[in-house]
Amino acid sequence: MKRPLNFTLTLILGVVFATTVYAQPPKLAITQLFGFACDSTGQTCVDGENPNSLIQSSDGNFYGTAPFSGSDTQTSFGTVFKITPSGQLTVIYTFRPNQNHEYANGAAPSSLVEGNDGFLYGTTIYGGNTNGAGVVFKLSKTGVIHTLHQFCSLAQCADGSGPDHLMLASDGNLYGATQQQGNTGGVLFRITPSGSYKVLHTFDLNTEGPAGLGMTEASDGNLYGTTVGAQTVITSLFRLTPAGKFTVLHIFHYAQFPDSSPILAANGKLYGALSRFSDQVKLGIFECNLSGQEFQQIPLQISFNSSIPHILQASDGNLWGTNIGDGDSHNGTIVSLSPHGKTLQNVSFEGTNGSVPDAVVQSSDGTILGLTVWGGSVTQGDVASGVVYTLDAGLAAPKPSIVILTPSRGKMGSQVRIYGDHLVGSTQVTFNGVSATFQVLNVHTISATVPQGATTGLIAVTNAGGTTTSKKNFTVQ
């Protein structure tokens, strides 16, 4: 939102001077879009409760997961929901036990992504026929589910248990992490849309950390991630190749550890949030290039009382995230930080519009949307159990980003996948200036056809936020 300007014109000796008076920026407000409600007993929450993941889909709607459905876990254990930009929520799947009282399709969903085929893919912490250690599932938007992998199905749970942090990569496959299993670290895995599963790395508790916090793909085609922290273990920033080569880029030591998975910023560097385990250590952010060099740990210029589990780079170039326990009523805040750590905005939740914020995204129109685990306003007699919220911070629609072209060369009429971010709502794709037919597959992927008359040059993608061109040429053969 552009700041309003009041112009005072003063005529002195025939010269007009323009004096600019900057009005104070308007106070931002968080608005509940939808409140998750449980009955007065807390046993039944038909829409789910404590929502924990949210994505924008290629159809313009938002999809998310709620890991619980009330205290009566014998009848249901979490939901996958759709919510429109206007706030109409529909449950598309509820996790329920079969006739053998097994949650064969999973229980307690923990992450969600949209694949290149239009299906939703996700993980659950529990459930599955084998050992109840969670699953990867494939779900149509009409509610038809298929289990792709059941965890702890190998001896000594070598394939991991308690999966989370699923992501879609440019190769069309899904990558994720599992929780620590006893004295064994969690694993990083790859799974194809058809269900072919492979463990790529098992964490060493003593040198790498106990489990992954999530990963992001960079322009070199590799995945970058962080491990979860605690007072007694090493944690790290790492690189993982699609073939499974694992490299530690940076080691974190107590009393400050990563609190979020890294993001790839527009400058090509990785950023992430750092938690606080000591009164002498402030919350912070880190900045690092892809080689692991030039690592910077930047303390925040404001005192927070908790942690920042999710951050993103918004269309204003700043880092926006959620702070769990700070704010006027200690219900948490949405915070905007410059890449140098200066606090620009710190907007409090009041409980009635949510409490304990979790996932956060920027939609294709620039609005900030997110989830809170608790709080909200629901019908009298019900119990509030989290919200989907919006924050209109006056941000412009985000420009598309282009990270990888797959393949980087091809003939006219061949298919090319453009992998990046903020691709929902794209209106034009050009190959060296020649318009192409294309389809937006999800927020990260466009499939385009190399047009007749195209020549070697840059690919450009346009949406409401502007036009972005690839950093490398696409070669027309």
Side-chain angles (χ1 to χ4, degrees), residues 139-323:
L139 179 67
S140 74
K141 292 173 183 174
T142 58
V144 179
I145 197 167
H146 177 66
T147 299
L148 296 181
H149 182 77
Q150 300 184 49
F151 285 84
C152 219
S153 58
L154 299 180
Q156 299 180 333
C157 293
D159 56 333
S161 67
D164 201 355
H165 307 298
L166 202 63
M167 63 157 289
L168 175 73
S170 60
D171 61 8
N173 294 318
L174 306 157
Y175 294 78
T178 69
Q179 299 177 356
Q180 179 181 348
Q181 177 71 21
N183 294 323
T184 304
V187 308
L188 298 174
F189 65 84
R190 177 180 67 230
I191 187 166
T192 68
S194 62
S196 177
Y197 179 89
K198 184 177 182 179
V199 172
L200 298 177
H201 182 74
T202 300
F203 286 105
D204 185 320
L205 295 176
N206 298 314
T207 60
E208 299 166 354
L213 267 175
M215 295 180 286
T216 188
E217 185 171 3
S219 54
D220 59 3
N222 296 318
L223 309 180
Y224 293 80
T226 48
T227 55
V228 66
Q231 296 186 20
T232 58
V233 297
I234 292 292
T235 54
S236 64
L237 170 68
F238 63 83
R239 178 197 300 124
L240 180 74
T241 70
K245 182 180 178 181
F246 182 92
T247 305
V248 172
L249 300 181
H250 184 81
I251 291 292
F252 299 89
H253 297 278
Y254 181 78
Q256 196 163 49
F257 296 124
D259 209 29
S260 72
S261 58
I263 62 169
L264 181 68
N267 61 6
K269 294 184 178 181
L270 302 169
Y271 288 82
L274 296 169
S275 60
R276 165 182 174 272
F277 282 92
S278 166
D279 290 338
Q280 284 73 47
V281 178
K282 289 185 176 182
L283 288 180
I285 55 177
F286 68 82
E287 175 191 88
C288 185
N289 61 21
L290 300 185
S291 69
Q293 304 300 313
E294 301 178 7
F295 182 92
Q296 290 191 67
Q297 199 162 298
I298 306 168
L300 300 185
Q301 299 172 15
I302 188 171
S303 178
F304 289 108
N305 296 319
S306 190
S307 60
I308 303 176
H310 295 278
I311 63 170
L312 58 85
Q313 186 176 38
S315 54
D316 61 357
N318 296 314
L319 305 177
W320 289 72
T322 55
N323 179 28

Side-chain angles (χ1 to χ4, degrees), residues 338-364:
S338 77
H340 304 294
K342 181 180 179 181
T343 301
L344 306 174
Q345 299 278 1
N346 195 24
V347 190
S348 294
F349 288 89
E350 303 301 330
T352 54
N353 60 358
S355 178
V356 188
D358 198 350
V360 61
V361 298
Q362 186 178 26
S363 71
S364 56

